[in-house]
Every structure is written in C-alpha cells, then in structure tokens.
Amino acid sequence: MAAPRENVSLLFKLYCLTVMTLVAAAYIIALRYTRTTDKELYFSTTAVCISEVIKLLLSTGILAKETGSVGRFKTCLKENILGSPKELMKLSVPSLVYAVQNNMAFLALSNLDAAVYQVTYQLKIPCTALCTVLMLNRSLSKLQWISVFMLCAGVTLVQWKPAQATKVLVQQNPLLGFVAIAIAVLCSGFAGVYFEKVLKSSNTSLWVRNIQMYLSGIVVTLAAVYMSDGGEVIEKGFFYGYTYYVWFVILLASVGGLYTSVVVKYTDNIMKGFSAAAAIVLSTVASVLLFGLQITLNFALGTLLVCVSIYLYGLPRQDTTVIQVEETASKEKLIHM
C-alpha cells in the first residue's frame, strides 16, 4: 500500500514544480552554453567530481539538521558510514553508474542542441519502466505501455533529422551525442531503480543513503578524472577553464538532484509530467533564442508526442481490484434476486 502523501497546499506544490522546472531547463541550457563557447574548454570530469562533493556537503548538513543534536549526528555517521563498509560497497554501484551518466550528459550536450537533448533524454521513462518491471517485479498498465511506445516514436522523429542550431560554430558529432545520451538514459534507469530498491530494503534515512552514495561517487569521479584527463589536469590545473557559468552549472547539478527528492515527496506523477513537458518547452524557446535552433516539422511533432506520452504515463492507474469486487457483488446480487 502506498504511503499517504503529506497534506500540503496547492501553492506549495506549484512552487516546488516551478523551481524544479526552472532548474532542469536552466541546467541543460547553461551546460550547453559552456560546452559550445569559444573560451577555453574546462574538463567535464572535474565538474562532475565537484558536484559530488557539493551534494555530499549538502546531504551532510541536512542529516545534521534531521538528527537534531551533535551527539546523535556523530552516532549516526559512526554507525552508518564508518561502521557499515558493506553498505558503502552496495551504494558504490549506483555511484559508478551515475558517474557514467553525468559524464555522458556533458558529452551529449557538447554534440546535441539543448532542446534535442531534453526531448531525447525522456527515453529514461521507458528505460526506468523496464528496470522497474525486471528489478522490482512491478507491472505497467496498458496505457503506460502505449505511452512508452508513443514516447519512443516521438524521440525517433526528433532524432530522424536533428534540428540544427545556426549560432553554434563549434564542431559537433550528432551521432556521438545520441550514443552518449543513450548510455546516460540506460544508466539513469538502472541507477534510479537500484537506489529505490536499496532505500526500501531498510529504514535507513534517505540522507544517510545519499552520503554513502556520494562518498563512493567522489572516489569514482576522481578516478575518472585521472583516467580521462589526468595528464592535462596535472599540466593545466583542476579548475582550468572554469568561469562563473561553469560554477553555475555545477551548482544546478548539485541542487537539482537533491531538490528532486522534495518534489517526489510532495507532488504526484501528473504534476511531475507537466513539469517535464514545461522544461522541454523552456529549453526549446531558449535554444531558439540563444543558439538559433531551427524548428523542423519532425522536431515539433516528435516533441508533441513526447509531452503527451509523459502526461499519459503519469496518469493514476485504475484500481482493478475494486472493480472486480464491485462486479462480483453485482453478480451475486443478480443471482439472489
């Protein structure tokens, strides 16, 4: 049985969704800008690493507030972090997968327009659905399966002849961008469901689990820095090419992930669907204005299909058990008449 959702005002729900929509759209646009500017290009692996550090610090601060006292906070860290190496190893799996996903996002947005990326990235929905069926033994309704196929058709239309941005002068490889986003989508689906399974396997606090995951994440992303850009980082410095815009992207990446948990807690799937669709629209408008994106018929139709499918996927499932009970009762009533 689903846990009852906390009773909060509609205004607060709208506030949460507005912030999440703006953060999602701003992150994609800002990241795209930093990867296509004519300035010295920063190392994306270091940006991913720093965002993990910030998320660790934020989660630690929230856990400290949640425990209520310094003594309980220290005890919690000692028991769940220092005294639980097995749990740290367990959370290293999503840490590794998320690290790959985040680095693939940088690679994808270096080669795909922000709006094209935003639409294509919605493939995470069918991927997550598949992982949910396989890993959590859940089932999807017929409407959800229809929406999954509709979403895939929409993304296919968008990618058939990708819309071009006339104001972006750097060399791009759309095929490489699509491969990168495909890997990111697979990682997102698996890691999200794996983390949900770990969360539901015990009563351990979400913020404790986040700390365990981000500790592993820092180690994984540092290894990625060394293996991918080690020589250049030693030569040019860890923060080479960093600007205020790059720090803004890192901040959005750090806050966005943590803020999503608030949205999940206080809103439903329909409202989150509207938020995702709104983020796509905002990204498209910003891409037209900032990067000279040329909207094609394929892109417009594909985007419409994706937005509709997101809405349909989030519709509440009909309680078939209630219907079956009512049908049985009505049949028994007819028999006894």
Side-chain angles (χ1 to χ4, degrees):
M1 185 175 177
R5 196 175 296 278
E6 290 190 32
N7 185 24
V8 295
S9 69
L10 177 62
L11 189 63
F12 181 73
K13 289 182 179 181
L14 291 175
Y15 161 76
C16 288
L17 286 170
T18 300
V19 173
M20 187 177 100
T21 301
L22 292 175
V23 167
Y27 171 69
I28 299 301
I29 293 297
L31 201 163
R32 171 67 172 170
Y33 173 77
T34 62
R35 301 307 291 177
T36 56
T37 183
D38 56 358
K39 296 181 180 179
E40 298 292 340
L41 201 60
Y42 61 98
F43 303 113
S44 61
T45 51
T46 63
V48 173
C49 182
I50 294 170
S51 69
E52 292 294 300
V53 173
I54 294 174
K55 283 187 275 189
L56 174 64
L57 294 175
L58 290 174
S59 295
T60 304
I62 295 171
L63 179 63
K65 185 178 179 180
E66 189 179 75
T67 51
S69 71
V70 176
R72 283 198 292 269
F73 175 62
K74 287 182 178 179
T75 302
C76 184
L77 288 181
K78 186 176 180 180
E79 290 178 355
N80 294 289
I81 309 301
L82 299 177
S84 301
K86 287 184 179 179
E87 295 301 309
L88 284 173
M89 288 299 295
K90 189 189 295 183
L91 270 298
S92 67
V93 175
S95 296
L96 174 61
V97 179
Y98 275 131
V100 174
Q101 175 199 332
N102 292 330
N103 279 289
M104 288 299 104
F106 278 86
L107 180 58
L109 280 163
S110 300
N111 293 281
L112 291 174
D113 182 80
V116 175
Y117 172 91
Q118 188 79 286
V119 174
T120 309
Y121 190 66
Q122 301 310 313
L123 283 173
K124 67 182 179 180
I125 293 175
C127 185
T128 302
L130 182 61
C131 289
T132 299
V133 170
L134 296 176
M135 296 170 64
L136 299 180
N137 296 319
R138 291 180 189 166
S139 61
L140 299 181
S141 66
K142 289 181 181 179
L143 183 60
Q144 285 179 315
W145 281 116
I146 291 171
S147 66
V148 163
F149 287 112
M150 187 186 295
L151 189 147
C152 292
V155 170
T156 301
L157 275 175
V158 169
Q159 286 291 337
W160 191 258
K161 289 183 179 179
Q164 298 298 318
T166 57
K167 295 181 182 179
V168 176
L169 302 178
V170 296
Q171 188 175 4
Q172 299 174 97
N173 186 338
L175 179 59
L176 177 61
F178 180 75
V179 171
I181 203 171
I183 295 172
V185 160
L186 291 171
C187 290
S188 174
F190 172 77
V193 175
Y194 182 97
F195 188 58
E196 181 183 348
K197 191 172 184 178
V198 170
L199 280 177
K200 292 183 177 180
S201 65
S202 69
N203 294 322
T204 307
S205 165
L206 167 66
W207 304 110
V208 169
R209 291 302 191 189
N210 278 341
I211 290 171
Q212 291 171 337
M213 186 166 64
Y214 297 142
L215 279 171
S216 302
I218 292 171
V219 175
V220 170
T221 51
L222 277 174
V225 172
Y226 176 77
M227 290 187 291
S228 179
D229 304 303
E232 288 188 273
V233 169
I234 292 172
E235 179 186 346
K236 298 179 179 179
F238 196 87
F239 299 104
Y240 175 78
Y242 274 53
T243 64
Y244 290 118
Y245 292 111
V246 176
W247 282 110
F248 181 59
V249 168
I250 293 171
L251 180 64
L252 288 174
S254 304
V255 174
L258 296 177
Y259 198 84
T260 301
S261 61
V262 178
V263 174
V264 169
K265 185 176 182 180
Y266 292 117
T267 65
D268 54 33
N269 283 328
I270 297 177
M271 298 187 79
K272 284 183 284 183
F274 277 119
S275 174
I280 289 173
V281 172
L282 286 176
S283 297
T284 302
V285 172
S287 292
V288 171
L289 297 176
L290 297 176
F291 307 119
L293 178 69
Q294 296 178 322
I295 303 296
T296 62
L297 181 61
N298 278 7
F299 179 85
L301 291 176
T303 301
L304 179 62
L305 273 177
V306 168
C307 291
V308 172
S309 67
I310 291 172
Y311 170 73
L312 293 177
Y313 187 85
L315 287 175
R317 298 181 62 174
Q318 196 173 24
D319 194 345
T320 54
T321 57
V322 174
I323 295 173
Q324 289 171 358
V325 169
E326 289 177 350
E327 287 178 349
T328 304
S330 63
K331 287 177 182 177
E332 289 177 353
K333 188 176 180 181
L334 287 171
I335 291 170
H336 290 93
M337 281 181 70

